Amino acid sequence: MTSIAPDEPLLVKQLAAALGVSLRFVYQMRACGFRMRGHTRRRQMATLKQARAWIKTRQFRLVNSVGLIDKKSERGRSLVL
């Protein structure tokens, strides 16, 4: 198995493999606002470091194959969008 540098630009399939998740997980990340800025016009790329940071800060997860983000309300309760 080859190691992937955290700052290496990855395509969707590569990113899913590096994170150890399904393609659906990465596509749902994108649907929930994760931006994959590509180095070419057609290929969208993101780094492993960017993806992990985005998942952690937004507490992203899949529930019944739908991406959910937990956001803390002003009162401290968890809101699911």
Side-chain angles (χ1 to χ4, degrees), residues 5 10-11 16 18 23 32 35-37 39 43 46 53 57 68-69 75 81:
L10 302 170
L11 298 171
L23 281 173
C32 288
R35 304 224 20 196
M36 294 185 72
R37 295 182 179 99
H39 292 289
R43 294 196 165 190
T57 58
L68 296 177
I69 297 174
R75 296 187 182 114
L81 301 176

mmCIF file of all heavy atoms in Angstrom, residues 5 10-11 16 18 23 32 35-37 39 43 46 53 57 68-69 75 81:
data_model
loop_
_atom_site.group_PDB
_atom_site.id
_atom_site.type_symbol
_atom_site.label_atom_id
_atom_site.label_comp_id
_atom_site.label_asym_id
_atom_site.label_seq_id
_atom_site.Cartn_x
_atom_site.Cartn_y
_atom_site.Cartn_z
ATOM 1 N N ALA A 5 0.530 11.597 0.865
ATOM 2 C CA ALA A 5 0.881 12.803 1.617
ATOM 3 C C ALA A 5 -0.394 13.594 1.906
ATOM 4 O O ALA A 5 -1.286 13.670 1.059
ATOM 5 C CB ALA A 5 1.855 13.651 0.809
ATOM 6 N N LEU A 10 -6.087 15.051 -4.490
ATOM 7 C CA LEU A 10 -6.682 13.754 -4.812
ATOM 8 C C LEU A 10 -8.023 13.939 -5.518
ATOM 9 O O LEU A 10 -8.769 14.867 -5.218
ATOM 10 C CB LEU A 10 -6.916 12.956 -3.526
ATOM 11 C CG LEU A 10 -5.699 12.684 -2.650
ATOM 12 C CD1 LEU A 10 -6.134 12.100 -1.308
ATOM 13 C CD2 LEU A 10 -4.735 11.762 -3.345
ATOM 14 N N LEU A 11 -8.314 13.007 -6.409
ATOM 15 C CA LEU A 11 -9.624 12.957 -7.048
ATOM 16 C C LEU A 11 -10.613 12.304 -6.086
ATOM 17 O O LEU A 11 -10.226 11.779 -5.040
ATOM 18 C CB LEU A 11 -9.547 12.153 -8.344
ATOM 19 C CG LEU A 11 -8.619 12.720 -9.418
ATOM 20 C CD1 LEU A 11 -8.453 11.720 -10.551
ATOM 21 C CD2 LEU A 11 -9.161 14.033 -9.939
ATOM 22 N N ALA A 16 -11.758 9.109 -1.322
ATOM 23 C CA ALA A 16 -12.576 8.123 -0.609
ATOM 24 C C ALA A 16 -11.702 6.982 -0.093
ATOM 25 O O ALA A 16 -11.831 6.560 1.061
ATOM 26 C CB ALA A 16 -13.675 7.584 -1.522
ATOM 27 N N ALA A 18 -8.463 7.054 0.519
ATOM 28 C CA ALA A 18 -7.549 7.569 1.542
ATOM 29 C C ALA A 18 -8.259 7.767 2.886
ATOM 30 O O ALA A 18 -7.668 7.546 3.943
ATOM 31 C CB ALA A 18 -6.924 8.878 1.079
ATOM 32 N N LEU A 23 -17.525 6.082 -1.917
ATOM 33 C CA LEU A 23 -17.658 7.223 -2.822
ATOM 34 C C LEU A 23 -18.861 8.071 -2.438
ATOM 35 O O LEU A 23 -18.825 9.291 -2.507
ATOM 36 C CB LEU A 23 -17.831 6.754 -4.268
ATOM 37 C CG LEU A 23 -16.579 6.326 -4.992
ATOM 38 C CD1 LEU A 23 -16.940 5.725 -6.340
ATOM 39 C CD2 LEU A 23 -15.655 7.495 -5.176
ATOM 40 N N CYS A 32 -23.056 18.705 0.745
ATOM 41 C CA CYS A 32 -23.225 19.483 1.986
ATOM 42 C C CYS A 32 -22.279 20.670 2.071
ATOM 43 O O CYS A 32 -22.212 21.332 3.110
ATOM 44 C CB CYS A 32 -23.041 18.575 3.190
ATOM 45 S SG CYS A 32 -24.408 17.436 3.421
ATOM 46 N N ARG A 35 -15.870 21.857 -0.691
ATOM 47 C CA ARG A 35 -15.418 22.333 -1.999
ATOM 48 C C ARG A 35 -14.164 21.604 -2.423
ATOM 49 O O ARG A 35 -13.199 21.536 -1.677
ATOM 50 C CB ARG A 35 -15.136 23.826 -1.932
ATOM 51 C CG ARG A 35 -16.363 24.559 -1.457
ATOM 52 C CD ARG A 35 -16.759 25.770 -2.123
ATOM 53 N NE ARG A 35 -16.251 25.969 -3.432
ATOM 54 C CZ ARG A 35 -16.255 27.126 -4.044
ATOM 55 N NH1 ARG A 35 -16.726 28.166 -3.423
ATOM 56 N NH2 ARG A 35 -15.797 27.254 -5.254
ATOM 57 N N MET A 36 -14.201 21.069 -3.614
ATOM 58 C CA MET A 36 -13.029 20.416 -4.199
ATOM 59 C C MET A 36 -12.567 21.299 -5.346
ATOM 60 O O MET A 36 -13.131 21.275 -6.423
ATOM 61 C CB MET A 36 -13.368 19.003 -4.676
ATOM 62 C CG MET A 36 -13.728 18.072 -3.549
ATOM 63 S SD MET A 36 -14.005 16.376 -4.081
ATOM 64 C CE MET A 36 -12.340 15.849 -4.475
ATOM 65 N N ARG A 37 -11.579 22.081 -5.058
ATOM 66 C CA ARG A 37 -11.045 22.979 -6.076
ATOM 67 C C ARG A 37 -10.000 22.236 -6.888
ATOM 68 O O ARG A 37 -9.010 21.765 -6.346
ATOM 69 C CB ARG A 37 -10.430 24.202 -5.413
ATOM 70 C CG ARG A 37 -11.470 25.019 -4.709
ATOM 71 C CD ARG A 37 -10.871 26.252 -4.093
ATOM 72 N NE ARG A 37 -11.921 27.013 -3.442
ATOM 73 C CZ ARG A 37 -12.161 26.975 -2.149
ATOM 74 N NH1 ARG A 37 -11.427 26.214 -1.376
ATOM 75 N NH2 ARG A 37 -13.130 27.695 -1.637
ATOM 76 N N HIS A 39 -7.205 21.330 -9.996
ATOM 77 C CA HIS A 39 -6.036 21.910 -10.644
ATOM 78 C C HIS A 39 -6.261 22.022 -12.143
ATOM 79 O O HIS A 39 -5.503 22.677 -12.837
ATOM 80 C CB HIS A 39 -4.795 21.060 -10.359
ATOM 81 C CG HIS A 39 -4.390 21.130 -8.920
ATOM 82 N ND1 HIS A 39 -3.840 22.257 -8.367
ATOM 83 C CD2 HIS A 39 -4.497 20.234 -7.926
ATOM 84 C CE1 HIS A 39 -3.598 22.044 -7.089
ATOM 85 N NE2 HIS A 39 -3.986 20.819 -6.802
ATOM 86 N N ARG A 43 -11.310 18.341 -13.585
ATOM 87 C CA ARG A 43 -11.045 17.445 -12.462
ATOM 88 C C ARG A 43 -11.075 18.194 -11.152
ATOM 89 O O ARG A 43 -10.302 19.106 -10.934
ATOM 90 C CB ARG A 43 -9.698 16.766 -12.638
ATOM 91 C CG ARG A 43 -9.720 15.844 -13.818
ATOM 92 C CD ARG A 43 -8.573 14.936 -13.750
ATOM 93 N NE ARG A 43 -8.827 13.852 -14.695
ATOM 94 C CZ ARG A 43 -8.123 12.782 -14.761
ATOM 95 N NH1 ARG A 43 -7.099 12.624 -13.962
ATOM 96 N NH2 ARG A 43 -8.415 11.841 -15.616
ATOM 97 N N ALA A 46 -9.062 17.635 -4.011
ATOM 98 C CA ALA A 46 -8.919 18.160 -2.660
ATOM 99 C C ALA A 46 -7.862 17.320 -1.956
ATOM 100 O O ALA A 46 -7.583 16.191 -2.364
ATOM 101 C CB ALA A 46 -10.233 18.093 -1.902
ATOM 102 N N ALA A 53 -10.129 18.010 7.932
ATOM 103 C CA ALA A 53 -10.463 19.233 8.673
ATOM 104 C C ALA A 53 -11.934 19.588 8.491
ATOM 105 O O ALA A 53 -12.614 19.966 9.444
ATOM 106 C CB ALA A 53 -9.575 20.390 8.213
ATOM 107 N N THR A 57 -14.552 19.748 11.621
ATOM 108 C CA THR A 57 -15.165 21.015 12.032
ATOM 109 C C THR A 57 -16.675 21.009 11.878
ATOM 110 O O THR A 57 -17.368 21.689 12.623
ATOM 111 C CB THR A 57 -14.596 22.214 11.249
ATOM 112 O OG1 THR A 57 -14.803 22.008 9.861
ATOM 113 C CG2 THR A 57 -13.129 22.415 11.544
ATOM 114 N N LEU A 68 -25.164 14.478 6.835
ATOM 115 C CA LEU A 68 -25.680 15.393 7.846
ATOM 116 C C LEU A 68 -24.533 16.142 8.495
ATOM 117 O O LEU A 68 -23.459 15.602 8.696
ATOM 118 C CB LEU A 68 -26.444 14.633 8.934
ATOM 119 C CG LEU A 68 -27.705 13.903 8.504
ATOM 120 C CD1 LEU A 68 -28.283 13.145 9.682
ATOM 121 C CD2 LEU A 68 -28.724 14.871 7.961
ATOM 122 N N ILE A 69 -24.797 17.400 8.834
ATOM 123 C CA ILE A 69 -23.834 18.235 9.524
ATOM 124 C C ILE A 69 -24.461 18.670 10.833
ATOM 125 O O ILE A 69 -25.585 19.166 10.847
ATOM 126 C CB ILE A 69 -23.474 19.475 8.693
ATOM 127 C CG1 ILE A 69 -22.801 19.068 7.394
ATOM 128 C CG2 ILE A 69 -22.584 20.425 9.486
ATOM 129 C CD1 ILE A 69 -22.551 20.217 6.451
ATOM 130 N N ARG A 75 -27.969 28.136 21.910
ATOM 131 C CA ARG A 75 -28.281 27.629 23.243
ATOM 132 C C ARG A 75 -27.502 26.370 23.584
ATOM 133 O O ARG A 75 -27.691 25.775 24.613
ATOM 134 C CB ARG A 75 -29.768 27.354 23.339
ATOM 135 C CG ARG A 75 -30.591 28.609 23.204
ATOM 136 C CD ARG A 75 -32.044 28.313 23.466
ATOM 137 N NE ARG A 75 -32.816 29.528 23.294
ATOM 138 C CZ ARG A 75 -33.715 29.720 22.355
ATOM 139 N NH1 ARG A 75 -33.939 28.780 21.476
ATOM 140 N NH2 ARG A 75 -34.370 30.841 22.279
ATOM 141 N N LEU A 81 -28.934 19.673 10.059
ATOM 142 C CA LEU A 81 -29.450 20.254 8.819
ATOM 143 C C LEU A 81 -29.446 19.228 7.732
ATOM 144 O O LEU A 81 -28.602 18.446 7.601
ATOM 145 C CB LEU A 81 -28.603 21.457 8.413
ATOM 146 C CG LEU A 81 -28.550 22.576 9.425
ATOM 147 C CD1 LEU A 81 -27.609 23.653 8.934
ATOM 148 C CD2 LEU A 81 -29.915 23.151 9.675
#
